[in-house]
Amino acid sequence: MFKKLIVIFVALSLVLTGCWDRQELNDQAIILGWGMDLLEDGQYLATANLVLPLASKTGGQQGGEQGGRSGFMTETAYGKNNRDAEQNMQRKLSRVLFPGHRRNIFIGEKLAEHGVFSILDEYGRSPMVRPRANIFVVRKATAQEAMSLAYQLETNPAIAVQKIQEKSGAPISRSLLDFFISANGTGCGIMPALTILPPEVKIDKKSKNDSPPQTTLGIYGAAVFNGQLKLAGYLKYDEYWVRLWIANKLVFRTFTTIINAVDADKPGGAVEDALSGATSGKTVTVSVDSFKSDITPIFSGALPRFRILLEGKGYIEENNSPLNLSKPANVKKVEARMNQYLEEKIRRVVTKVQKDFKCDIFGFGDTIHHRHPYRWKKLAADWETIFPDIDLDITVKLNLTGTGLTGESLLPTREGGEE
């Protein structure tokens, strides 16, 4: 009887246990960043940023290194697609590639121009790819170049770009998901764009403790993709926020405008355009941390037009004009001037997208789809040709709720402004 119990126990332990195929952490090569480039011969070049666990155990952190060792390693491999390159990369690694923690995906510009459909299929199909990953286009460079740069403040450049994007007021951990949603909606797509930035001023290192500016990664803006998922062009850093605000995804943003010029892009301007007695070229900066967008399609005929109301709340963070902000009337002048500046800026960016890219990255078509599904059925097939000519009524309502710790500026009496 006792022998029978032992046999049954051993048999059950073999059948019921589910841990035989477990993968120990020490056997995994954790991928934090993944990049894809297209080569001249049509092959793909995959680049992976892998965590170096031995470096992470040591103390100290300086210049992207931990304990004198870099916190990551970069590995590459050729392939016919994502999975083929990953398999070829595996033969050079002593641990199994684990993409479950892959937070950032980089795409070289040449591949973006060729079209990203071929690599995005795996990202939408594989259960090992997180839909809430960040995906970037590297402008005028390859993914490998961007991923090989050591970033001084972080141990891994793949993590650095995610944090830079977050500090720019854009949402993080959803650009891949947003791209899929947009591409399956109006057919166009948009994703953040990176650029490699050399230092503005080169300074020689005179001692080992000096830390002059170095070539680094930065957010360029956004890459716009057409209906064939090919790169149509870029929005610059000072234009990307327009799309985020209209799409209700802008988290915060600081705006600076010249208080007395209609054309706020350059200092100066006609005196008659001044909102007050301020001299030309004086700036006011407003920090906004609450944004709201409302898009209303209006049909007066077969084709729609849109009424766009953009609202925000913020406070004046810097005043270099002679306006005395202790007076509520002057705060209203700043508010009116800022609304004027933002409306003009937004109108120019939207027109650029309509005429240059011809891609509805703002979700206007999706708004018709949700509110007027029967009308959308008639418009959807021709939306690519309708979108560039639709009329937009854009209104900005910024509510300034504060002027900082002081109302009066040091300038008014010195610059001939209001006392």
Side-chain angles (χ1 to χ4, degrees):
M1 183 63 185
F2 181 71
K3 292 182 178 179
K4 288 183 179 179
L5 288 174
I6 291 177
V7 171
I8 293 172
F9 178 77
V10 171
L12 287 176
S13 66
L14 292 173
V15 174
L16 296 179
T17 183
C19 300
W20 291 105
D21 60 345
R22 71 181 184 272
Q23 196 71 251
E24 297 291 349
L25 188 60
N26 291 339
D27 295 327
Q28 297 179 354
I30 299 175
I31 302 174
L32 282 184
W34 183 263
M36 291 296 286
D37 289 301
L38 182 65
L39 305 180
E40 293 292 337
D41 59 3
Q43 280 196 100
Y44 292 97
L45 176 63
T47 305
N49 273 160
L50 305 171
V51 176
L52 277 182
L54 294 178
S56 64
K57 291 179 180 178
T58 59
Q61 179 174 332
Q62 183 179 2
E65 297 181 350
Q66 296 183 356
R69 292 190 58 184
S70 173
F72 70 99
M73 65 170 282
T74 303
E75 191 54 84
T76 60
Y78 297 107
K80 301 181 181 69
N81 56 24
N82 276 292
R83 291 293 298 142
D84 190 45
E86 185 176 327
Q87 180 175 265
N88 293 334
M89 188 182 295
Q90 184 61 69
R91 68 177 181 174
K92 295 188 279 185
L93 299 170
S94 59
R95 301 185 177 200
V96 176
L97 281 168
F98 180 72
H101 290 293
R102 183 166 52 188
R103 302 171 70 175
N104 299 292
I105 298 167
F106 301 78
I107 296 173
E109 186 177 68
K110 186 176 174 65
L111 175 55
E113 291 173 341
H114 175 76
V116 294
F117 171 79
S118 57
I119 65 164
L120 287 182
D121 182 76
E122 192 245 347
Y123 299 153
R125 192 182 301 277
S126 171
M128 295 303 289
V129 178
R130 296 160 35 137
R132 300 186 73 85
N134 301 291
I135 190 165
F136 302 92
V137 171
V138 184
R139 180 178 176 270
K140 290 189 174 180
T142 63
Q144 187 182 69
E145 289 173 309
M147 298 174 68
S148 300
L149 276 176
Y151 192 82
Q152 288 184 297
L153 286 176
E154 307 294 339
T155 55
N156 193 309
I159 300 299
V161 295
Q162 177 181 321
K163 291 188 174 182
I164 293 173
Q165 187 192 12
E166 182 182 13
K167 303 305 179 292
S168 301
I172 61 169
S173 300
R174 60 170 299 128
S175 57
L176 177 60
L177 180 62
D178 284 343
F179 189 89
F180 281 135
I181 293 173
S182 177
N184 283 291
T186 57
C188 298
I190 184 169
M191 61 178 72
L194 300 174
T195 187
I196 297 175
L197 296 168
E200 279 80 2
V201 179
K202 291 186 177 180
I203 301 174
D204 294 333
K205 190 172 182 177
K206 298 178 180 177
S207 71
K208 65 177 183 180
N209 294 324
D210 291 347
S211 180
Q214 298 179 10
T215 299
T216 187
L217 289 172
I219 293 288
Y220 179 80
V224 180
F225 289 81
N226 60 22
Q228 289 70 46
L229 297 187
K230 295 182 178 181
L231 181 65
Y234 292 98
L235 291 179
K236 297 179 180 177
Y237 183 74
D238 196 33
E239 298 172 333
Y240 183 30
W241 61 265
V242 173
R243 189 266 173 181
L244 293 174
W245 194 351
I246 294 176
N248 248 332
K249 292 174 181 173
L250 186 59
V251 181
F252 60 85
R253 177 78 186 177
T254 297
F255 302 106
T256 298
T257 187
I258 296 168
I259 198 64
N260 67 332
V262 171
D263 183 3
D265 285 344
K266 297 179 181 178
V271 177
E272 58 267 28
D273 295 327
L275 292 171
S276 71
T279 55
S280 64
K282 301 304 179 182
T283 57
V284 172
T285 296
V286 173
S287 183
V288 184
D289 54 11
S290 175
F291 293 91
K292 185 179 177 183
S293 168
D294 183 62
I295 303 172
T296 305
I298 300 172
F299 286 89
S300 56
L303 297 181
R305 61 186 180 88
F306 288 85
R307 186 171 62 233
I308 303 168
L309 175 60
L310 301 175
E311 298 177 281
K313 290 183 180 179
Y315 58 93
I316 298 174
E317 204 167 41
E318 183 174 348
N319 174 34
N320 294 317
S321 80
L323 286 177
N324 184 349
L325 297 182
S326 64
K327 297 180 178 181
N330 285 340
V331 177
K332 289 296 180 185
K333 289 178 182 177
V334 174
E335 202 173 78
R337 180 66 188 89
M338 191 61 73
N339 287 339
Q340 181 190 27
Y341 162 71
L342 292 175
E343 285 178 10
E344 182 63 27
K345 184 77 176 177
I346 291 167
R347 190 169 288 108
R348 272 187 282 175
V349 174
V350 173
T351 301
K352 174 183 176 179
V353 173
Q354 284 183 290
K355 303 304 179 185
D356 294 354
F357 305 148
K358 299 178 174 57
C359 292
D360 181 9
I361 58 173
F362 303 107
F364 297 148
D366 290 336
T367 305
I368 299 177
H369 189 193
H370 295 151
R371 299 190 184 185
H372 306 280
Y374 292 105
R375 288 182 182 272
W376 179 245
K377 284 184 178 179
K378 299 177 182 178
L379 296 172
D382 300 321
W383 188 243
E384 188 174 337
T385 57
I386 295 172
F387 170 73
D389 296 319
I390 58 173
D391 293 326
L392 303 172
D393 179 14
I394 299 172
T395 303
V396 176
K397 288 186 177 179
L398 208 59
N399 182 19
L400 299 181
T401 58
T403 60
L405 298 178
T406 182
E408 294 187 38
S409 170
L410 292 173
L411 287 174
T413 55
R414 293 175 174 80
E415 294 285 337
E418 300 171 344
E419 296 184 356

